[in-house]
Amino acid sequence: MLSKLQLLSVFFGDDVIYKIYLRSQVIHKLFETNPELDANKLDLFHLQFTQSLIDLLRKIKKNNEGNISLVFDEIQINKELIEKLNDPFYTEANFNLEKQRQALKINLSLRKLFQVLSDNSTDNPLSKNINSFSSRFAADFFYNITPELQQELTAYSDKDVYKDEYATIQRKLMGVLCKYDFKTEFYCGLKSGSQVLEVYKFVDADRHFLYSPSDSLFVFLDVTKLANIDLTNNMSKKERLIHELKDKNDKLEGSAAAMKSFMPPEIKTLLADNYKKISDINFLENIGSIDVQANILKSMLNTDLI
């Protein structure tokens, strides 16, 4: 019993439990070195008090280990989800590479659109798979805007645009594109529900325009209308979720360590009281009353505190 109590004191790392263990050793040794003492009283002490305490601590230990098991199950589930989310196809590095390719597609398409409009041709000027970029990355990397703002940004007057079967572009925008030799770069992506917009910036001028894949529309954009969007945050939704899951796992692992040795305050108070009782100098004279403490310990086994 003393060995079991020692192991439990190590498991919980609680000073009071260790003191009870040491005091129990002293009591046990006292009977060993004093044959005149009634050994039945020692049996009574161990069977009533020590065994009841061991049973109580074992129940707390088992309960704590069950809670820890649930925590580690959650940690494992989070790790599996992180693994699934770590798809290199949708990482920030992959997005940055693809936006350069998309800008090239847009620049080639606009250059060809100018030629088609000039020649009054019926050719499709838009590059192949020009809309696959948005379909791949909009969900994770494009910024949310309201439907009202989306409508405002894409509004135009028919008299101010060139239009053919494949695309619509502002006349002034086409003029500026020619001036800067169709050199633009991807600036950011916007989304509102199922509608997406791609924003581009002239390489040699602080001017912007947008491309609406749903209707192949190219119009100037006043970038100040995006002032409420944090354009410095390039992390995808998936990458943000991965960071959140990793932070959560760190906290769960920390709480699991504390959970291992958790003991309800009421139990701690009871153990402190028990230690005082068995530490009393007159304890041997009143050892028969230990069954009172044992009954309290046993009653704790049937409460909802654990």
Side-chain angles (χ1 to χ4, degrees):
M1 285 188 195
L2 289 175
S3 296
K4 292 173 184 175
L5 188 56
Q6 182 186 27
L7 290 173
L8 287 165
S9 71
V10 172
F11 176 85
F12 284 100
D14 187 273
D15 288 345
V16 175
I17 299 174
Y18 190 65
K19 287 177 181 178
I20 291 174
Y21 159 69
L22 290 178
R23 184 60 183 167
S24 299
Q25 271 192 313
V26 171
I27 293 170
H28 193 85
K29 197 70 176 175
L30 188 63
F31 277 89
E32 281 186 350
T33 56
N34 292 276
E36 71 277 7
L37 295 177
D38 185 358
N40 289 321
K41 289 186 177 182
L42 180 62
D43 288 339
L44 175 65
F45 171 72
H46 281 319
L47 290 171
Q48 286 287 86
F49 179 78
T50 310
Q51 187 60 54
S52 299
L53 178 58
I54 288 170
D55 290 343
L56 179 63
L57 294 176
R58 277 179 169 171
K59 182 175 180 181
I60 297 171
K61 179 176 179 286
K62 183 178 180 181
N63 188 65
N64 289 355
E65 288 173 339
N67 291 334
I68 290 172
S69 177
L70 292 175
V71 169
F72 280 115
D73 284 345
E74 185 176 355
I75 289 172
Q76 184 57 36
I77 290 170
N78 289 343
K79 284 181 177 178
E80 290 172 2
L81 182 54
I82 288 170
E83 199 172 313
K84 289 179 182 177
L85 290 171
N86 265 325
D87 185 348
F89 192 68
Y90 294 102
T91 62
E92 186 178 346
N94 190 260
F95 173 61
N96 289 332
L97 177 63
E98 289 301 318
K99 21 184 224 190
Q100 294 176 32
R101 292 176 177 169
Q102 179 67 3
L104 288 174
K105 283 185 180 181
I106 288 291
N107 292 337
L108 288 171
S109 297
L110 288 169
R111 191 183 292 273
K112 190 170 181 182
L113 178 60
F114 172 74
Q115 193 65 45
V116 165
L117 291 172
S118 299
D119 299 342
N120 199 23
S121 167
T122 57
D123 292 343
N124 183 355
L126 302 181
S127 298
K128 186 178 179 181
N129 299 323
I130 194 171
N131 294 338
S132 64
F133 173 76
S134 289
S135 64
R136 283 174 58 189
F137 294 105
D140 287 328
F141 290 93
F142 283 24
Y143 301 99
N144 287 306
I145 60 173
T146 63
E148 293 76 16
L149 180 57
Q150 185 265 332
Q151 290 177 6
E152 181 184 348
L153 297 179
T154 54
Y156 66 91
S157 172
D158 284 338
K159 63 183 177 61
D160 295 330
V161 300
Y162 295 116
K163 184 182 291 188
D164 75 354
E165 180 183 353
Y166 299 102
T168 302
I169 185 169
Q170 278 183 327
R171 293 171 183 266
K172 288 183 178 180
L173 174 57
M174 180 61 83
V176 175
L177 285 164
C178 290
K179 177 181 177 181
Y180 290 102
D181 195 29
F182 299 92
K183 292 179 180 178
T184 73
E185 60 188 4
F186 183 86
Y187 183 70
C188 72
L190 308 172
K191 62 181 177 180
S192 175
S194 60
Q195 295 298 311
V196 296
L197 303 174
E198 298 172 14
V199 181
Y200 293 85
K201 178 185 178 298
F202 287 90
V203 172
D204 300 318
D206 190 22
R207 302 190 71 176
H208 303 75
F209 68 92
L210 63 80
Y211 167 59
S212 173
S214 63
D215 50 4
S216 302
L217 171 68
F218 298 90
V219 291
F220 273 122
L221 169 70
D222 179 2
V223 78
T224 61
K225 293 182 178 180
L226 308 181
N228 293 328
I229 301 174
D230 181 12
L231 298 176
T232 61
N233 184 7
N234 293 321
M235 192 179 292
S236 74
K237 226 168 29 173
K238 286 183 180 179
E239 286 177 308
R240 283 195 295 272
L241 180 56
I242 288 171
H243 279 277
E244 289 171 7
L245 288 171
K246 285 182 177 178
D247 287 342
K248 186 175 184 182
N249 273 1
D250 288 341
K251 291 176 182 176
L252 286 172
E253 286 173 1
S255 68
M259 203 178 289
K260 172 186 171 184
S261 57
F262 172 76
M263 191 172 297
E266 294 84 352
I267 302 291
K268 281 196 159 201
T269 301
L270 172 65
L271 295 180
D273 185 52
N274 284 341
Y275 175 66
K276 286 180 183 178
K277 291 286 194 302
I278 65 173
S279 298
D280 191 289
I281 195 166
N282 298 316
F283 173 72
L284 287 178
E285 296 177 12
N286 303 313
I287 200 167
S289 64
I290 195 61
D291 60 334
V292 175
Q293 295 299 316
N295 287 335
I296 297 173
L297 288 171
K298 290 174 182 176
S299 68
M300 284 293 184
L301 287 165
N302 301 315
T303 67
D304 295 328
L305 294 174
I306 305 169

